[in-house]
Amino acid sequence: MQRFRPGLPLAVAYSGGADSTALLQACVERWPAQVHAIHVHHGLQAAADGFEQHCRDACARWAVPLHVVRVDARPSSGQSPEDAARTARYAALRQAAFAGDPPIRHIALAQHADDQVETLLLALSRGAGLPGLSAMPARWESDGLCFYRPLLGVSGAALREDLNLRGVGWVEDPSNSDEQYARNRIRARVMPALEAAFPQLRDTFSRSAAHAAQAQRLLDELATQDLAQTGLPPQITPLRAFGRDRQANLLRHWLRTAHGTAASTAQMNELLDQIAACTTRGHGICLKVGGGFVERRGPVLAWYNP
C-alpha cells in the first residue's frame, strides 16, 4: 500500500467483506475526504440486503460517500455464474464511477495475494496460455477508467489480523464456503496443502505470474509488428510467410484486440491447418472460432458473429 499512488478522487469497490473493508479503511486514512465506496448488490442470495445495510452503516460511521448499484447477475445460457457476476460487477462499477460529479476515474479493488495464487491455479487447471498464467494485473485501464489492485502483495490472513486488532467488523459471504465453485475448492483444499509444502508460495507464484505477463507483452509487441505487415484484417499470403507459432500469436492477438474473442487450442490448430492448405484462390475457410466464425473473404481473413 505504501507504493500505491492512485489518482484522486478514488473509489473503492466495497462488498463489506474483510478484504474490501481493510482496503477501504487504509485508503480513507491516507486520503481523507477523497475516497468513495461503491457497493454492488448482486441480488443472488437472501443475505444481499444485509450486506448492503452493513456497508451503509460502516460508511456512515467513517463519513465515506457510498454508491449502491443493484444488478441482475444471473448467468445467461452457457455463461458460468462467476463470469456473470464478474461482468455485472464491472459494469456496475463503471456506472457508479461515471455517475459522480465530477466523475471518478480511479477504482481500487481488494484482491490480495491468496486471490492471485488461486487465479494462477485456476488458469493452470484450464490449460491456459500466457494471458491466463499472467493472473491479475496490479493496474490496468479500461473504458476511460484506471483500476488498481494494491493488496496483491498481502495475504488474506494478514488483512483479517489487522482488522481484528483494530476491532473492525466485516460480513462473511456464505457463498465463499460453497465448494461447488472451483475457486472455493482451491481455497479450502489446495491452498492449505500448498502453503504447508511451500511457505513462500505467494511470493514465488506472484513472480511466475509477472514473468508470464512480461512474456505476453513481448508477444503482443511482436504481433503488432507482424500485423503491420499482413494488414488488418490479416491478408493470407503475407500471413503464410510466418512460421506456425508466429501465425498463431498474430491470430490470437487479432481476435482478442479487434474482436474480443479467443480461440480454443483445437480451433486455432484447425485454423492454422486451413491457412497452410490455402494455396489456391478457390480454397475456402469458414471455421467456428471463439464466439463467432473466421472465414476467407478474398485475400483476407475476417471474423464475424452471426
Side-chain angles (χ1 to χ4, degrees):
M1 281 291 294
Q2 292 302 317
R3 289 179 289 183
F4 179 37
R5 296 287 188 272
L8 298 174
L10 173 70
V12 174
Y14 180 43
S15 69
D19 310 332
S20 61
T21 298
L23 177 60
L24 180 59
Q25 279 228 311
C27 291
V28 169
E29 288 176 3
R30 288 186 66 182
W31 302 289
Q34 292 290 323
V35 178
H36 296 237
I38 301 175
H39 177 76
V40 181
H41 188 301
H42 291 88
L44 295 175
Q45 52 184 304
D49 289 339
F51 298 160
E52 178 186 334
Q53 190 57 53
H54 170 89
C55 293
R56 289 189 181 279
D57 294 342
C59 287
R61 288 195 303 273
W62 302 330
V64 174
L66 174 66
H67 312 268
V68 176
V69 184
R70 291 176 175 260
V71 301
D72 182 356
R74 291 173 295 181
S76 57
S77 178
Q79 186 180 34
S80 73
E82 297 96 326
D83 286 342
R86 185 183 307 109
T87 299
R89 184 162 56 251
Y90 278 102
L93 292 174
R94 291 183 177 91
Q95 175 186 331
F98 286 125
D101 186 18
I104 297 171
R105 302 293 185 183
H106 301 266
I107 301 178
L109 309 174
Q111 285 96 350
H112 49 69
D114 299 50
D115 297 318
Q116 186 74 311
V117 172
E118 293 164 9
T119 299
L120 182 54
L121 290 172
L122 282 170
L124 286 167
S125 74
R126 296 192 302 266
L130 286 177
L133 299 181
S134 301
M136 296 184 292
R139 180 187 181 280
W140 80 101
E141 295 183 18
S142 176
D143 297 334
L145 296 174
C146 190
F147 292 90
Y148 306 86
R149 293 188 176 103
L151 300 179
L152 289 181
V154 185
S155 71
L159 295 175
R160 284 163 173 75
E161 181 180 0
D162 182 67
L163 290 176
N164 283 326
L165 289 173
R166 293 167 175 261
V168 177
W170 65 86
V171 294
E172 290 287 358
D173 187 338
S175 69
N176 287 339
S177 60
D178 186 348
E179 292 191 18
Q180 71 169 311
Y181 301 114
R183 184 178 286 275
N184 291 345
R185 291 196 299 275
I186 290 173
R187 186 176 303 141
R189 304 181 193 182
V190 180
M191 285 289 288
L194 277 175
E195 190 166 17
F198 309 106
Q200 303 302 316
L201 86 162
R202 292 174 181 82
D203 291 337
T204 56
F205 278 42
S206 178
R207 286 204 301 275
S208 291
H211 293 325
Q214 183 182 54
Q216 184 58 52
R217 288 194 293 271
L218 291 173
L219 289 176
D220 287 341
E221 288 183 14
L222 177 62
T224 300
Q225 295 171 12
D226 289 349
L227 276 169
Q229 297 185 49
T230 66
L232 191 64
Q235 297 181 53
I236 296 170
T237 297
L239 177 62
R240 281 169 45 85
F242 297 127
R244 187 178 177 96
D245 290 342
R246 198 155 165 180
Q247 289 178 25
N249 182 56
L250 181 153
L251 292 168
R252 290 190 187 281
H253 182 80
W254 167 57
L255 290 168
R256 183 177 70 252
T257 57
H259 302 292
T261 194
S264 68
T265 299
Q267 289 171 345
M268 181 56 66
N269 285 335
E270 177 62 23
L271 179 56
L272 292 171
D273 288 345
Q274 289 296 316
I275 291 170
C278 191
T279 58
T280 65
R281 290 184 179 181
H283 185 96
I285 296 176
C286 187
L287 295 172
K288 178 75 168 67
V289 175
F293 292 84
V294 168
E295 71 173 9
R296 178 180 182 176
R297 294 180 182 172
V300 305
L301 291 176
W303 185 90
Y304 69 97
N305 187 0

